[in-house]
Every structure is written in C-alpha cells, then in structure tokens.
Amino acid sequence: MNTKSTNVGSTDKAILRRYLELPQPDNKVMATYIWIDGTGENLRAKTRTVDKEPKSHKDLSWWNFDGSSTGQAEGSNSDIYLKPVAIYNDPFMLGKNKLVMCETYKYNREPTSSNKRISCVEAMKAATDQHPWFGLEQEYTLLDRDGWPFGWPKGGFPHPQGPYYCGVGASQALGRDIEEAHYKACLYAGVNIGGTNAEVMPAQWEYQVGPCEGIDAADQLWLSRYLLLRIAEEFGVQVSFDPKPIPGDWNGAGCHCNFSTQTMREPNGIEIINEAIQLLQQRHKTHISVYGRNNELRLTGRHETANINQFNAGIANRGASVRIPRQVGEEKCGYLEDRRPASNCDPYAVTDIIVRTVCLGEKDPES
Ligand code: ADP
Ligand code: MN
Ligand code: MN
Ligand code: MN
C-alpha cells in the first residue's frame, strides 16, 4: 500500500470556493484584525464577527489576543490589546468584510515595544503643515517552502543576473501569478499601489505604495505586506523580506523611501531637497539603526547600494545612500529617494525618523 498518498491530507481551492460563495447574512460582517508581532517584522491576524459594516476604524472596538504566543507578553499577564487604526476592503472574503490594521498595547495600556506607530503619528501631526509625502518601494523574494527561491533549480543556481529585471518569459519572470494577484488585491483593498516590476534577482519582485501623505504610507505598506503573505500562502509559496536572501552575486532587497514636502515639490524645491540631504547626512548612523535588521549584508557598496558606513548622495546615482531622480534634477523640484531602508524595515520607524530629521529638525546629541 502506498501510505504516502493515502495518509497525506490536502485541501482543494475548488471545494473551498463552494463555501466562500455561500451568502452571508446582512447583519454579519467579518473583521480581520492585523497586527505586528514581537519580532517587529512579522504579522499576525485573527477574525471576529461584527453586526454591521464599519465605515471607519472608529466603528470597531478594541480587541485582545494572547501576547505570550506572539513574543509580546508573559504567560502570567498575557492579554495584549488591539486598537483598530485603519480599515480596508477584504479582497479574500469580499462583500462588506474588512481588514483592520491595529496598534498593540500592553495590559497597562502602554504601547508594546513593537508599536512604532505612536511615535510616527506624533511626528506626522507635528509636520502636517509641510505635507510630507512618501512612496515606498517594497522589494521581496519568493521562496519555496524549503527556503530556496521559487523557480530556482534545486541544488543549483539560475543563470547570473541580467535578464530578470523587468523580465518577460518563463525563465525570466518567476512567480508573476503572485505579483499580479497582489496588485489587484491592493487596488481592491484601497491600498494606493503605484506600480510593480520584476527585480534584478530572479524570483525577486517590487511594488510601490504611494505617494501617500503622512501616516497612510506606513499603514498601507503594512497592509500590503499582509495581502502579499496571504496571497503567496494560497499558492504554497513563502515571501521573504530578508535584505540579502541569497549571499554572493545576487542583489539584496530594499525598501527605498521616496520623500518630499510641499516646498520640495514647488519651483526651485531642489534647494530644500539639498538642505534635507545635509540633515540626513548628519544623522546617518541613527537612521541606519532603524532601517532594518541585517541591512549590513545588503549595503555593501555593490549591487546598486552604498556602503553602510558612508553617506553619499547624487543625481541619478543608484550607488548612493540618497538619490535625486534625474527628472527631479532637471525640473529642479520634486523629491528625494532614501535608498538605505532594507526590505524588512518597519515603515513606521523609517517615515518617522525622516520627518523628525528633515521636517522637525531633530538632531543627535553631540558625541
Ligand atoms: P525607482 O525604481 O526608479 O527608484 P519607482 O518608480 O519604483 O522608482 O518608485 C518611485 C516612487 O516615488 C513611487 O512610489 C512614487 O509614488 C514615489 N513618488 C513620486 N513622486 C513623489 C513625491 N513628490 N514625493 C514622494 N514620493 C514620490
Ligand atoms: Mn523601484
Ligand atoms: Mn527596485
Ligand atoms: Mn528606487
């Protein structure tokens, strides 16, 4: 008897569809609460039924979860609170169902250590008059469940980098189904996704969120990561936000943060952009400290990056820490691109410190 095939269970999406298509009672709405766990990088989610469609996150009450299972509390005092902060349409359950981005608070209603949003909201409020905009370029790598990149030969490597960036064709574009499904899901959910492209390393992709003003950028990026993880899960594929998933001559993965204020976008804003770059330079190390784990493996000075220990800036320079896009240099206004953040960064921490350094004039203590 072939025990392998008879003992292994599996689910079937075609059967699932019969149930997903069941009508849902009018007064029953599914709200999936999503939060960042104790790692500060991974997402968790659980769903509850509410009795009417929420129109805003304010229509949803706080909830809680077992923080001892997410690295956020001890077992003896384990309840962590979930505070809804933004809602989106649910592209999986459709209808009135919602996805809910949440902040986390400890038993004493103090924020948990992975709640970087509070500080970010404070900064955005203080800088409201400057209208800070962000465009985040999220790069990611698709992996099989054994941890090897999706579509790569087992025990070997694909052809060296070259044909894959914006590549088309079966050997060039590995995992496009996931990228396309994610794009549509973002649009449906209400994420301001700006575009997408295949990246330099095969099985690596990028999408952009923005431009968004203030706190929306990071809220939407986190929600877009949730969508990506859930969609890839359905295809049986892992998403890695590791900034250097494969060592050697393979590009790493970043989360470039494009940034502007009102005055940068106005005529001759280039002067303000140059001043901002000066301010960013003065706090290089402090920025790097919140730009993602293992970023030193990526920011080597090779593979379209600047060395982690040196700050440099330039027009159209993809080997710079901060790049001024060519068009911005020509039009003398627009935005700058901070190329330093890693793909696993917390966008709350990244947009927070950029606004504090550039808009609020925060400085490091003299050393
Ligand atoms: P590249 O790959 O050339 O670095 P992308 O096209 O991937 O650039 O990303 C550019 C990002 O910059 C997009 O997310 C876009 O929304 C954003 N962006 C464009 N204009 C502004 C602006 N004035 N302020 C902030 N972000 C901007
Ligand atoms: Mn890009
Ligand atoms: Mn890219
Ligand atoms: Mn970029």
Side-chain angles (χ1 to χ4, degrees):
M1 197 176 82
N2 181 349
T3 52
K4 239 186 184 161
S5 59
T6 52
N7 287 339
V8 175
S10 70
T11 62
D12 180 332
K13 298 293 181 193
I15 299 174
L16 170 66
R17 185 168 314 127
R18 281 175 28 207
Y19 298 95
L20 291 181
E21 284 172 355
L22 288 174
Q24 195 174 319
D26 253 1
N27 59 343
K28 299 288 177 193
V29 175
M30 287 178 262
T32 298
Y33 283 46
I34 300 162
W35 70 95
I36 300 157
D37 74 10
T39 63
E41 293 176 29
N42 298 328
L43 289 165
R44 309 269 180 143
K46 63 173 188 164
T47 305
R48 75 194 308 191
T49 309
V50 296
D51 52 21
K52 68 172 195 299
E53 181 178 3
K55 297 294 178 200
S56 126
H57 62 271
K58 292 182 183 141
D59 296 337
L60 289 161
S61 58
W62 288 46
W63 199 17
N64 55 57
F65 66 93
D66 167 16
S68 69
S69 300
T70 64
Q72 288 170 295
E74 293 167 17
S76 57
N77 201 353
S78 66
D79 276 7
I80 296 285
Y81 293 104
L82 289 171
K83 177 193 177 188
V85 294
I87 59 168
Y88 304 88
N89 297 321
D90 182 342
F92 308 107
M93 291 298 170
L94 309 177
K96 298 173 182 169
N97 303 305
K98 295 287 182 269
L99 301 178
V100 187
M101 222 24 238
C102 295
E103 278 185 18
T104 51
Y105 289 82
K106 293 187 280 196
Y107 64 95
N108 57 6
R109 306 258 168 166
E110 290 291 319
T112 65
S113 60
S114 60
N115 183 348
K116 308 285 185 219
R117 188 176 184 276
I118 295 196
S119 167
C120 188
V121 169
E122 268 173 24
M124 296 305 164
K125 278 197 180 136
T128 315
D129 294 350
Q130 300 182 45
H131 298 283
W133 289 6
F134 303 92
L136 297 158
E137 300 172 56
Q138 178 70 64
E139 294 178 340
Y140 61 94
T141 309
L142 299 175
L143 307 177
D144 280 335
R145 274 191 276 228
D146 61 10
W148 197 235
F150 178 81
W152 285 31
K154 296 296 175 197
F157 291 87
H159 289 291
Q161 293 183 163
Y164 307 108
Y165 171 73
C166 299
V168 184
S171 308
Q172 287 80 11
L174 309 180
R176 192 189 296 278
D177 285 356
I178 293 167
E179 176 259 342
E180 288 184 343
H182 178 251
Y183 203 153
K184 292 289 288 245
C186 281
L187 292 173
Y188 179 90
V191 169
N192 184 22
I193 182 169
T196 174
N197 59 269
E199 267 305 334
V200 175
M201 186 180 104
Q204 202 168 73
W205 296 83
E206 170 182 317
Y207 62 91
Q208 303 94 31
V209 169
C212 293
E213 185 159 334
I215 195 68
D216 285 348
D219 280 344
Q220 291 191 21
L221 190 73
W222 273 114
L223 198 278
S224 74
R225 286 180 180 172
Y226 173 81
L227 295 177
L228 182 60
L229 289 160
R230 273 285 275 101
I231 287 163
E233 173 191 322
E234 292 195 23
F235 287 101
V237 172
Q238 294 192 69
V239 178
S240 170
F241 294 109
D242 190 325
K244 195 73 181 183
I246 304 294
D249 211 3
W250 303 97
N251 271 32
C255 187
H256 300 165
C257 181
N258 300 273
F259 169 70
S260 66
T261 58
Q262 177 92 50
T263 50
M264 293 179 191
R265 296 186 292 267
E266 285 169 356
N268 222 24
I270 191 79
E271 285 176 16
I272 314 291
I273 292 173
N274 284 327
E275 284 168 23
I277 290 172
Q278 296 293 316
L279 294 169
L280 290 170
Q281 172 154 24
Q282 286 166 22
R283 293 189 95 193
H284 176 61
K285 278 209 172 113
T286 314
H287 278 249
I288 289 291
S289 71
V290 299
Y291 275 8
R293 190 175 49 86
N294 287 342
N295 207 10
E296 67 282 0
L297 302 177
R298 162 181 167 261
L299 295 181
T300 56
R302 298 185 59 219
H303 303 113
E304 301 177 55
T305 71
N307 188 286
I308 194 163
N309 298 313
Q310 286 152 8
F311 182 97
N312 64 330
I315 294 176
N317 180 1
R318 285 173 195 269
S321 317
V322 171
R323 160 177 156 251
I324 297 174
R326 165 104 45 219
Q327 194 189 344
V328 174
E330 279 164 8
E331 293 175 358
K332 307 228 174 306
C333 63
Y335 62 100
L336 61 83
E337 177 194 40
D338 190 340
R339 299 176 61 80
R340 297 170 294 173
S343 48
N344 61 0
C345 69
D346 183 337
Y348 292 129
V350 170
T351 58
D352 181 1
I353 194 168
I354 290 178
V355 162
R356 286 177 189 276
T357 300
V358 174
C359 300
L360 307 180
E362 281 190 17
K363 304 239 184 290
D364 288 335
E366 299 284 337
S367 53

